[in-house]
Amino acid sequence: MQQLSGQDASFVYLETPATPMHIGSVGIYDPSTAPGGAVRFKDILKFVEGRLSSARSFRQKLVRVPFDLDHPYWVEDADFDIEYHIRHIALPQPGDWRQLCIQVARLHARPMDLSKPLWEFTVVEGLNNIPGIPPGCFALVSKVHHAAIDGMSGVEMSAAIHDVTADMPDRPADPDWQPEVPPGTADLLIRSYFNGLRQPLKYLEALGQSLPGVARLGRGVSAGELEIAGQRLAPRTRFNAKVSSHRVFDGVAFPLAEVRAIKDRIEGGTVNDVILTIIGGGLRRYLEQRGELPADSLTAMAPISVRAEGEKKAMGNLVSAMVVALGTHIADPMERLDHVHREAANSKALTNAVGARTLTDYSQLIPSGLAGLGARLYTRLGVANAHAPVFNVVATNVPGSRVPLYFVGAQMVKMMGLGPIFDSMGLINTIYSYGDEIAISFTSDRAMMPDPDVYADALRAAFAELKAAAGAESKPARKKKAAARKG
């Protein structure tokens, strides 16, 4: 039995019928590479069953403390049933991309049963009319609660069900796995009492860890190495209000080599800078078409993993975050790239100065009952409609494999991600790299974005515009001559 951290538990407390807090992915697979050239549903069941011991999230469920007096616990589920967690549907003909996106959004909008292990796989067949995808492919739509994994530990769960060859190494079910007897109410209440006695020590420990970071921040600002004067609340947009229970999904993929060529046009540029610039350009175009483009730049919250090397396979969330201005107020794409690069570097330096791990540890100090009550009241009272957002959207980067991956012998030909949205943050962009592609997929509220294909087209246009502008540069690297220019 293992207790959730404060950060993990926060995703449980934030869950409402309109804001399910799971993340997910959409992988598309070509069964022609599998033994016999086909994949049956019973093959998938057997395949996943043989890998359940490779990730703890597969068979652990939540046990909540009465009245949320303390954070929940993970226990091995005695009633685990793999056929509940893996489902099977098919698209009607013609089985095109729009149909798949609608089905993915519908699946993603449904909350999971919090009394069972918090993951679901849905096999979607009938993908026969998607450009660039071989006919006869199937999709695997995954859902895993954010309390169990973050983006980095999710990669470990993905590795459990993928091979690097098509011959499917045999992995029989783990004979040593044993379920646990869930703790009783009295046991949970006693544990919460003693945890409460230790809480003052946690406050002192967090304070002690914070002081060196505050000192570093002060020195950096005084020396002119860090800038805090430009830090401000984000402008209000259509994405920063109370969300409904309906979702939309879409995504676009770009050649990774071309993205890398663009980042080389500025000194010290990164792939992440280019992707954030594309998102900024897509948002600028999308909102400008509606006459809703704010004068100030939109901002994106970008999660940062703080996992140590020995924590790569640990359950739960070990993330901090930085907030980056996306340059939506800048028309020129290369100027926007310069702006995003400077903003990302400054934001990362601010986070590092305070200490990303220290910021994460503060989540342990919020009383569990208060956190749950606050989340429920925030949604019920519609507070998101009454205040300026801290940031406008989320942009989360999940590293993928450079080599082909196989699921039940079927080669993965495309992978995109999904994420949760919540009140005041109705658009999340998930960046996923696989093979020679890097994809930007997004999840949003249907009322906020009734036309996801238009935003997808805006991202394509922003990439084409940036690529053309970068190709016009005569030098292999553009110096940061705009460093003094005001964004």
Side-chain angles (χ1 to χ4, degrees):
M1 190 169 75
Q2 176 184 350
Q3 188 170 32
L4 277 68
S5 69
Q7 190 175 42
D8 295 341
S10 68
F11 293 106
V12 178
Y13 305 142
L14 285 170
E15 176 119 351
T16 72
T19 58
M21 298 304 296
H22 50 255
I23 60 179
S25 64
V26 183
I28 299 180
Y29 300 85
D30 181 3
S32 67
T33 63
V39 174
R40 299 170 298 177
F41 184 63
K42 68 177 183 179
D43 298 330
I44 293 175
L45 290 173
K46 180 181 178 182
F47 180 84
V48 176
E49 188 171 26
R51 286 136 195 273
L52 293 176
S53 59
S54 299
R56 295 176 61 185
S57 300
F58 278 130
R59 287 185 290 207
Q60 291 193 329
K61 69 176 184 178
L62 282 176
V63 175
R64 296 182 75 161
V65 178
F67 310 110
D68 284 334
L69 293 176
D70 201 358
H71 299 320
Y73 291 83
W74 294 113
V75 299
E76 301 289 336
D77 183 17
D79 297 318
F80 177 78
D81 179 6
I82 193 171
E83 293 189 20
Y84 172 84
H85 294 274
I86 304 179
R87 293 92 183 271
H88 185 202
I89 60 176
L91 296 179
Q93 292 302 312
D96 57 26
W97 177 250
R98 179 177 177 275
Q99 288 174 290
L100 178 61
C101 289
I102 291 172
Q103 187 59 253
V104 168
R106 185 177 298 141
L107 292 168
H108 194 66
R110 298 173 186 165
M112 288 191 288
D113 186 343
L114 296 182
S115 69
K116 299 180 182 296
L118 296 179
W119 64 276
E120 295 175 6
F121 291 165
T122 302
V123 179
V124 184
E125 293 190 304
L127 281 60
N128 296 317
N129 195 30
I130 298 178
I133 302 297
C137 286
F138 66 90
L140 184 70
V141 182
S142 73
K143 294 165 58 174
V144 186
H145 203 280
H146 219 327
I149 63 171
D150 59 30
M152 289 299 295
S153 59
V155 171
E156 299 295 334
M157 192 173 184
S158 176
I161 61 167
H162 287 104
D163 299 311
V164 294
T165 62
D167 55 6
M168 291 189 300
D170 187 33
R171 298 189 194 179
D174 181 9
D176 298 325
W177 177 80
Q178 294 291 330
E180 291 180 89
V181 177
T185 300
D187 185 22
L188 292 171
L189 291 175
I190 292 172
R191 287 171 179 265
S192 69
Y193 172 76
F194 284 105
N195 285 341
L197 294 178
R198 288 191 290 267
Q199 194 71 4
L201 297 177
K202 295 180 182 179
Y203 282 102
L204 292 174
E205 183 180 1
L207 179 61
Q209 293 172 344
S210 300
L211 294 176
V214 173
R216 285 193 300 270
L217 178 62
R219 289 194 298 268
V221 172
S222 299
E225 299 170 355
L226 301 174
E227 181 182 345
I228 61 174
Q231 307 302 311
R232 64 184 69 179
L233 291 176
R236 288 193 62 83
T237 71
R238 61 169 50 218
F239 304 117
N240 307 120
K242 185 175 180 178
V243 300
S244 74
S245 59
H246 306 294
R247 299 290 179 266
V248 293
F249 165 82
D250 206 333
V252 295
F254 307 110
L256 184 55
E258 294 182 3
V259 171
R260 286 176 170 160
I262 294 171
K263 66 99 174 170
D264 289 339
R265 296 300 185 184
I266 64 168
E267 185 179 3
T270 67
V271 167
N272 203 49
D273 293 338
V274 177
I275 294 298
L276 291 176
T277 302
I278 295 170
I279 292 172
L283 286 168
R284 173 184 171 86
R285 184 178 293 264
Y286 183 82
L287 293 175
E288 198 170 37
Q289 290 174 351
R290 286 151 185 77
E292 300 176 5
L293 182 64
D296 293 331
S297 175
L298 272 67
T299 61
M301 187 274 279
I304 304 171
S305 175
V306 295
R307 287 179 180 273
E309 190 61 33
E311 298 172 319
K312 293 287 180 72
K313 295 185 179 182
M315 286 182 65
N317 294 265
L318 288 170
V319 294
S320 185
M322 63 180 188
V323 177
V324 181
L326 296 172
T328 53
H329 60 306
I330 301 173
D332 181 87
M334 287 304 292
E335 287 187 19
R336 188 185 312 121
L337 178 58
D338 280 332
H339 177 83
V340 168
H341 172 66
R342 296 194 311 274
E343 289 289 323
N346 185 67
S347 182
K348 187 173 183 179
L350 287 171
T351 301
N352 289 339
V354 177
R357 188 66 180 248
T358 300
L359 294 173
T360 301
D361 290 342
Y362 272 110
S363 64
Q364 313 294 335
L365 307 182
I366 303 173
S368 55
L370 182 61
L373 177 62
R376 290 189 293 272
L377 286 176
Y378 186 85
T379 296
R380 190 173 303 164
L381 298 177
V383 178
N385 296 330
H387 69 84
V390 179
F391 51 86
N392 297 110
V393 302
V394 170
T396 179
N397 198 332
V398 181
S401 174
R402 299 272 73 81
V403 300
L405 297 178
Y406 298 84
F407 173 69
V408 203
Q411 182 177 348
M412 179 195 292
V413 295
K414 192 172 290 293
M415 172 63 84
M416 292 186 176
L418 297 107
I421 61 173
F422 44 88
D423 291 346
S424 190
M425 202 296 295
L427 173 62
I428 180 169
N429 300 271
T430 305
I431 301 100
Y432 198 101
S433 54
Y434 172 65
D436 58 1
E437 285 188 339
I438 185 165
I440 303 175
S441 54
F442 54 90
T443 311
S444 187
D445 178 83
R446 189 194 299 166
M448 296 176 176
M449 185 182 282
D451 46 7
D453 57 316
V454 175
Y455 179 53
D457 287 341
L459 291 172
R460 293 187 186 95
F463 171 72
E465 185 181 52
L466 180 60
K467 177 184 170 183
E473 294 288 320
S474 58
K475 302 270 185 175
R478 177 171 172 154
K479 299 293 183 181
K480 292 187 280 186
K481 58 188 178 185
R485 185 192 302 127
K486 298 295 183 183

